[in-house]
């Protein structure tokens, strides 16, 4: 990237730029550094030094369309979810909020120069990305929570039929300070700094309209992201994650599984949107790391090295549970068998998960785990059914959901003069 100062770092003299240190990271030095160092393993013989033409800063996703970007978009290396409470009770003010938010997302995702203002005034931009805002493969996906449909804005009759505040499941230890919110922004890009820039820009432009409720960053190894579709990511428990995810490039499949369609009993404005679930799932990694490998594999239902289902050789081999009715090969309570029993009527969800690392707890344990995000057109048949099957699984001994919620990801903005959530104000 133009303007970067590359230096030597790491063994073997791998050049590590400021952007590489942040690539795939969260707003934590250790996590960002570890994820960024993964970008040194290029394997193509070229120098690791990148130019503005090939470092990803000019990648952009289209903003306008029937659906929001960031759902079926190929997963980026860095994520940041931010929940907000809407201030006030004025319906027209809510409309103005959504118009302003739409304008900022449209600009940030496409990029452009920062306007120069009178230096006696605050600058027009934080300056985190320099004088030119580059898109960096940014997507900002906006969801609305059940609380937005209370009596403040007269929207109760328009609430999506499955949208409720996320209940506590049996293994949950939900922290109210990290749950729910009127609005949720899922911000994803190639680097953590681009996500932070977008968040600061939006908070600035929505000052007086919203209050920030909570945030959570997430990351994926960049070299893994480049291969998604062939290899799945590895989560912080060391296992392949999301292997059975449906193909997001299959438009027909996404229409059946992800996008709300007419005739589903939803309000008309919701067509083209999707139910969004966010779960902050802490992993007790110290305990897990002391668990025998064979037990780990039986809990998950996969071989740790290859990601293949137990008794199979390749990650994407499909287990035949019908031929293993007693669980001799894959235990009946293995995570993958409960999550997707591969029976008629099992409805799949589209996962878009990230790892997270928040440092250490007050008791001196590592606070890290999975920032789980998924989308589906039917919340009850999708996530809720899957989570109900998972209740009581052996993996619960090693994981603890601590935050998140349910939102409805708004339909996209097909026209240049439209705005997110416009259908809520029709008529």
């Amino acid at each position: 990237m133009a303007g970067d100062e590359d230096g030597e770092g790491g063994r073997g003299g791998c050049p590590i730029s400021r952007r590489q240190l942040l690539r795939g990271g969260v707003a934590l030095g250790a996590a960002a550094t570890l994820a960024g160092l993964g970008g040194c393993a290029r394997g193509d013989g070229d120098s690791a030094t990148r130019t503005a033409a090939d470092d990803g800063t000019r990648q952009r996703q289209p903003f306008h369309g029937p659906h929001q970007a960031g759902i079926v978009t190929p997963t980026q290396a860095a994520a940041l979810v931010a929940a907000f409470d809407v201030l006030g009770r004025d319906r027209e003010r809510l409309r103005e909020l959504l118009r302003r938010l739409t304008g900022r997302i449209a600009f940030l995702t496409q990029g452009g120069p920062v306007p120069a203002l009178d230096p006696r005034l605050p600058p027009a931009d934080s300056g985190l990305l320099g004088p030119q805002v580059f898109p960096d493969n940014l997507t900002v996906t906006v969801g609305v929570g059940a609380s937005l449909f209370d009596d403040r804005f007269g929207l109760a009759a328009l609430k999506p039929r499955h949208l409720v505040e996320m209940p506590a499941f049996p293994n949950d230890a939900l922290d109210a300070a990290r749950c729910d919110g009127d609005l949720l922004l899922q911000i994803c890009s190639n680097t953590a700094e681009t996500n932070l820039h977008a968040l600061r820009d939006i908070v600035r432009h929505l000052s007086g309209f919203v209050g920030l409720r909570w945030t959570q960053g997430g990351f994926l190894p960049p070299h893994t992201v480049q291969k998604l579709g062939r290899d799945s990511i590895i989560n912080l428990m060391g296992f392949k994650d999301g292997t059975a995810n449906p193909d997001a490039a299959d438009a027909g499949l996404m229409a059946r599984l992800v996008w709300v369609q007419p005739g589903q009993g939803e309000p008309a404005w919701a067509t083209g949107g999707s139910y969004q679930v966010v779960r902050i799932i802490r992993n007790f990694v110290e305990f897990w790391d002391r668990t025998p490998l064979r037990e780990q594999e039986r809990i998950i239902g996969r071989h740790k090295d290859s990601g293949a289902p137990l008794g199979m050789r390749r990650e994407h081999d499909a287990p035949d549970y019908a031929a293993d009715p007693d669980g001799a090969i894959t235990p009946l309570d293995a995570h993958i068998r409960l999550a997707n029993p591969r029976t008629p009527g099992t409805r799949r969800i589209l996962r878009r998960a990230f790892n997270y690392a928040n440092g250490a707890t007050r008791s001196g344990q590592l606070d890290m785990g999975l920032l789980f995000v998924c989308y589906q057109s039917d919340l009850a048949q999708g996530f809720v059914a899957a989570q109900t099957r998972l209740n009581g699984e052996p993996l619960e001994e090693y994981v603890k959901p601590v935050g998140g919620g349910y939102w409805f990801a708004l339909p996209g903005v097909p026209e240049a003069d439209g705005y997110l959530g416009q259908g809520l104000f029709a008529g």
Side-chain angles (χ1 to χ4, degrees):
M1 181 190 73
D4 272 354
E5 293 182 3
D6 292 333
E8 297 296 318
R11 295 184 180 180
C14 175
I16 301 172
S17 70
R18 176 175 59 89
R19 286 180 57 78
Q20 285 173 302
L21 286 172
L22 285 167
R23 182 170 296 276
V26 295
L28 289 163
T33 300
L34 288 172
L37 289 174
C40 294
R42 296 171 58 86
D44 57 6
D46 293 338
S47 167
T49 304
R50 296 185 170 202
T51 68
D54 66 5
D55 69 352
T57 57
R58 296 180 184 177
Q59 284 182 276
R60 60 172 54 88
Q61 297 294 332
F63 174 74
H64 291 100
H67 312 297
Q68 288 193 76
I71 299 176
V72 299
T73 305
T75 308
Q76 301 100 313
L80 177 63
V81 294
F84 296 85
D85 294 321
V86 177
L87 306 179
R89 305 175 63 89
D90 186 276
R91 184 183 176 97
E92 284 305 310
R93 189 169 173 82
L94 175 62
R95 190 203 300 255
E96 177 61 20
L97 182 165
L98 292 170
R99 283 184 173 137
R100 290 192 183 194
L101 179 59
T102 301
R104 293 319 300 166
I105 296 173
F107 169 73
L108 293 167
T109 56
Q110 303 309 300
V114 175
L117 301 181
D118 187 323
R120 292 171 295 181
L121 299 173
D125 185 83
S126 65
L128 181 58
L129 303 184
Q132 181 84 14
V133 174
F134 43 77
D136 203 28
N137 207 21
L138 176 70
T139 59
V140 182
T141 309
V142 180
V144 291
S147 56
L148 193 72
F149 297 88
D150 59 17
D151 61 358
R152 287 173 294 166
F153 306 110
L155 300 176
L158 298 175
K159 185 172 74 168
R161 66 191 183 109
H162 294 298
L163 189 60
V164 295
E165 289 193 354
M166 185 178 69
F169 292 93
N171 189 47
D172 290 2
L174 299 179
D175 178 358
R178 303 170 74 183
C179 291
D180 305 317
D182 293 333
L183 296 177
L184 186 87
L185 304 186
Q186 175 198 269
I187 306 171
C188 301
S189 72
N190 291 334
T191 58
E193 62 186 341
T194 297
N195 293 344
L196 293 172
H197 172 267
L199 179 62
R200 287 173 61 177
D201 182 280
I202 289 169
V203 166
R204 171 182 174 147
H205 283 87
L206 296 187
S207 176
F209 286 83
V210 296
L212 187 60
R213 186 180 178 96
W214 58 269
T215 68
Q216 177 62 61
F219 60 91
L220 296 176
H223 64 281
T224 303
V225 171
Q226 294 165 7
K227 299 189 296 182
L228 282 178
R230 291 176 290 161
D231 296 314
S232 302
I233 68 161
I234 296 177
N235 60 31
L236 295 185
M237 302 183 95
F239 278 79
K240 296 288 184 72
D241 197 279
T243 298
N245 218 23
D247 183 3
D250 185 333
L253 185 60
M254 294 300 97
R256 295 194 298 275
L257 297 181
V258 173
W259 308 122
V260 166
Q261 304 293 331
Q264 290 183 204
E266 297 287 0
W269 72 267
T271 298
S274 185
Y275 285 95
Q276 178 190 45
V277 176
V278 175
R279 301 269 283 175
I280 304 171
I281 306 174
R282 185 179 167 201
N283 297 166
F284 300 125
V285 293
E286 294 97 336
F287 184 24
W288 181 255
D289 290 344
R290 295 192 297 268
T291 300
L293 174 60
R294 183 172 296 177
E295 184 177 348
Q296 289 186 3
E297 292 181 333
R298 289 180 61 81
I299 288 171
I300 301 298
R302 293 189 179 277
H303 295 292
K304 194 168 189 176
D305 56 354
S306 66
L310 294 180
M312 310 191 87
R313 297 179 57 191
R314 293 175 293 273
E315 177 188 351
H316 294 282
D317 288 343
D320 185 358
Y321 297 141
D324 182 28
D326 299 321
I329 299 172
T330 304
L332 299 179
D333 56 5
H335 180 78
I336 68 166
R337 189 163 188 164
L338 293 174
N340 182 12
R342 299 176 184 266
T343 55
T346 299
R347 191 177 183 90
R348 290 191 292 168
I349 58 179
L350 181 67
R351 295 167 48 95
R352 191 180 172 85
F354 298 83
N355 298 321
Y356 81 84
N358 290 344
T361 67
R362 291 183 178 180
S363 61
Q365 294 178 311
L366 293 169
D367 182 0
M368 59 177 58
L370 187 69
L371 174 57
F372 174 91
V373 183
C374 74
Y375 295 91
Q376 56 263 285
S377 59
D378 189 313
L379 184 61
Q381 294 184 33
F383 170 79
V384 174
Q387 180 58 52
T388 301
R389 291 192 300 269
L390 291 167
N391 287 340
E393 65 170 328
L395 185 60
E396 286 187 349
E397 191 173 0
Y398 301 91
V399 302
K400 182 67 66 175
V402 296
Y406 296 159
W407 289 268
F408 189 83
L410 296 169
V413 181
E415 307 297 334
D417 60 350
Y419 60 93
L420 290 162
Q422 187 168 350
L424 290 169
F425 304 92

